[in-house]
Amino acid sequence: MMETFARIREFVEQEFKVVYDEKFVLGVEIETENGRHQSVFLAELKDQDDHRHLRVETTVAPLAEHDPTKLLRINLMLRAGYLAVGDLDGVPFIKLCRNSPYRFLTEDMVTSDVHRIGRLGDKLEQMLVDGGDWF
């Protein structure tokens, strides 16, 4: 089990190319299809009961350019992860996220989540920004 962010960090640093590193946030870059790359971020979150969760997320596209109804329809069809909005330098962006409680995390789950969120985020990015590769 991976019960601390320090343990997750140790594993991630061995398995992925780390491109961003803060106390409770790591950014990695993965290769997706056709030589494309996607940045994926891992962060520790605590809920109201002080239980820790690992958030795996990737930025997909600027929010302003997209119909919220279409995004909610996409969100409904997602089987792994969910769409959310987060700011990047003060600009709202669509993000694809997945939260997992630490008590269930294994190395295989972290690896799978990073690849699944990164690859799906890249596909959504291509669809929403006409094949662009921003992230």
Side-chain angles (χ1 to χ4, degrees):
M1 290 297 174
M2 305 187 75
E3 298 177 359
T4 65
F5 197 78
R7 175 66 185 100
I8 292 166
R9 174 187 306 284
E10 180 182 297
F11 172 72
V12 167
E13 288 175 341
Q14 293 174 7
E15 297 295 315
F16 298 97
K17 177 184 174 186
V18 174
V19 295
Y20 183 83
D21 189 353
E22 280 192 11
K23 187 172 183 177
F24 290 103
V25 179
L26 282 175
V28 301
E29 185 175 276
I30 65 163
E31 189 169 329
T32 59
E33 295 177 351
N34 301 319
R36 293 172 57 91
H37 293 86
Q38 189 75 12
S39 295
V40 178
F41 292 86
L42 299 90
E44 179 175 280
L45 302 175
K46 288 187 181 180
D47 64 18
Q48 64 274 13
D49 297 323
D50 212 33
H51 295 123
R52 291 175 296 161
H53 300 262
L54 179 66
R55 171 173 286 164
V56 178
E57 71 176 44
T58 189
T59 304
V60 176
L63 176 63
E65 301 174 14
H66 301 286
D67 174 20
T69 302
K70 179 181 178 181
L71 295 174
L72 289 172
R73 290 184 194 281
I74 292 170
N75 213 27
L76 183 63
M77 293 185 299
L78 293 175
R79 299 296 174 248
Y82 59 91
L83 294 177
V85 175
D87 285 348
L88 185 62
D89 295 327
V91 177
F93 273 81
I94 303 162
K95 294 183 176 226
L96 178 64
C97 307
R98 178 177 171 88
N99 297 336
S100 300
Y102 276 23
R103 66 181 179 266
F104 300 121
L105 280 179
T106 63
E107 291 178 352
D108 288 343
M109 289 176 67
V110 171
T111 299
S112 176
D113 283 353
V114 167
H115 285 290
R116 182 179 298 130
I117 293 300
R119 289 177 183 144
L120 181 55
D122 186 54
K123 287 179 183 177
L124 289 170
E125 178 183 12
Q126 288 179 64
M127 180 179 74
L128 293 173
V129 296
D130 297 322
D133 191 13
W134 288 35
F135 305 101

